[in-house]
Amino acid sequence: NPMDVKTLCLGVLSCGDASGYEIKKQFEEGPFAYIYEAAFGSIYPALNKLTEEGLVSFKEMIQEGRPDKKVYSINDQGLEALKTALHKQPQRDKMRSDTLFMFFLAHLIEPRARQTIYESYLETHKKYIAEMLGEILGEIGRAHV
């Protein structure tokens, strides 16, 4: 089975307390953006289930002019459940890519356009690598403070 959203949420919460919105942001802009896609609509049901199962708890934070925000925390049972999930055999990685689809049909693309697509793909991945290294080095730096 692929990692379920509950496990993904536990993983984010193992790094620190977060609201559902902040968890979503970790998959859109944070370190998990390069690794996994979590549908926003599935995060809140997963957090509710984790709360029911006693793996996380939450505090209601009052926000002025906005609805109260629930900030979730992982507990010891949640951490154990996460560790168990992390010891399973991972599924084979799946990749969806417009660019690779285009490369597959490259014989139908004019050479100059093909070159542009390739260069753009290369630049994007160079940026991903630089950002991932920055995140990793930042995490290492924070861990040693």
Side-chain angles (χ1 to χ4, degrees), residues 45-116:
L47 289 169
N48 290 336
K49 255 199 159 5
L50 289 167
T51 304
E52 285 168 25
E53 293 169 10
L55 303 178
V56 302
S57 57
F58 65 84
K59 288 186 194 115
E60 296 262 13
M61 307 288 277
I62 295 160
Q63 300 188 104
E64 233 177 282
R66 303 211 334 253
D68 293 353
K69 157 168 109 165
K70 289 180 182 175
V71 177
Y72 293 85
S73 305
I74 192 170
N75 58 30
D76 292 342
Q77 296 95 306
L79 208 49
E80 285 308 309
L82 175 60
K83 287 178 186 175
T84 300
L86 293 176
H87 281 81
K88 292 178 183 161
Q89 182 64 34
Q91 278 211 313
R92 188 164 174 251
D93 290 346
K94 286 184 184 154
M95 194 169 166
R96 293 178 183 90
S97 168
D98 289 354
T99 307
L100 294 180
F101 179 76
M102 293 166 83
F103 285 165
F104 184 80
L105 300 170
H107 62 283
L108 300 174
I109 302 171
E110 192 263 315
R112 191 172 293 143
R114 201 167 44 217
Q115 183 68 27
T116 303

Side-chain angles (χ1 to χ4, degrees), residues 100-145:
L100 294 180
F101 179 76
M102 293 166 83
F103 285 165
F104 184 80
L105 300 170
H107 62 283
L108 300 174
I109 302 171
E110 192 263 315
R112 191 172 293 143
R114 201 167 44 217
Q115 183 68 27
T116 303
I117 293 165
Y118 172 75
E119 286 168 5
S120 168
Y121 188 71
L122 189 61
E123 279 311 303
T124 299
H125 282 78
K126 283 180 182 174
K127 279 186 205 151
Y128 286 162
I129 290 167
E131 287 175 25
M132 283 170 49
L133 284 173
E135 291 280 346
I136 290 166
L137 293 173
E139 290 296 322
I140 291 169
R142 283 190 286 282
H144 287 86
V145 171

